[in-house]
Amino acid sequence: MKTQRFSLALERLQPGDWARFEQFASQFLVFDYGQLRSVAKASGDLGRDAELFSPEGDPTVLMQYSVTKNWEAKVNQTAKRIRENFSEATILVYVTSQHIGAAADPLKKKIRKDFKLA
């Protein structure tokens, strides 16, 4: 896919496109995370959309997929839910269609301090 067309498609995602984005993200990430297991559903996923398989049954790496423009609030909300529901979690991978870059640096520090998640 051409980079410009791909960027345009990501920019045009709307909140109602969350399921389509989650499916795309899972398929995209499986190459880097071979143990990826999707658990996303409209309700009841306890704050994570995917996790890396753990033979012990307690996943420590969790993923959240989101198209929301208010990514900072979404990451905070997700980190809180993950900490409440997955005490063994150590890493949160936030996958979004939004351009974040270095703007997330202060938030990453806050998430590490408040929720003990990298």
Side-chain angles (χ1 to χ4, degrees), residues 94-115:
Y94 185 74
V95 183
T96 183
S97 58
Q98 305 303 308
H99 179 73
I100 298 175
D105 288 348
L107 179 60
K108 288 191 286 187
K109 288 180 185 177
K110 180 183 183 313
I111 296 299
R112 278 193 304 271
K113 180 181 173 234
D114 294 351
F115 302 106

Side-chain angles (χ1 to χ4, degrees), residues 1-71:
M1 179 181 290
K2 300 220 181 223
T3 303
Q4 291 174 329
R5 289 183 70 192
F6 182 64
S7 293
L8 180 62
L10 289 176
E11 287 172 16
R12 293 196 175 192
L13 286 171
Q14 297 298 312
D17 297 323
W18 64 268
R20 185 177 294 170
F21 182 71
E22 286 181 3
Q23 181 182 21
F24 166 77
S26 287
Q27 291 173 351
F28 182 81
L29 290 173
V30 77
F31 293 105
D32 289 325
Y33 299 100
Q35 298 297 317
L36 185 70
R37 303 293 187 260
S38 180
V39 295
K41 55 185 176 175
S43 64
D45 61 20
L46 301 176
R48 90 294 193 197
D49 294 321
E51 59 191 36
L52 294 188
F53 173 76
S54 170
E56 294 82 26
D58 292 322
T60 59
V61 179
L62 304 176
M63 274 79 164
Q64 173 63 237
Y65 308 139
S66 180
V67 296
T68 187
K69 295 194 185 307
N70 189 357
W71 55 268

Side-chain angles (χ1 to χ4, degrees), residues 48 58-62 79 81-92 115-118:
R48 90 294 193 197
D58 292 322
T60 59
V61 179
L62 304 176
R81 288 193 71 204
I82 285 175
R83 184 49 57 224
E84 290 169 354
N85 293 298
F86 303 96
S87 61
E88 300 299 318
T90 57
I91 298 174
L92 167 61
F115 302 106
K116 309 294 186 257
L117 290 168

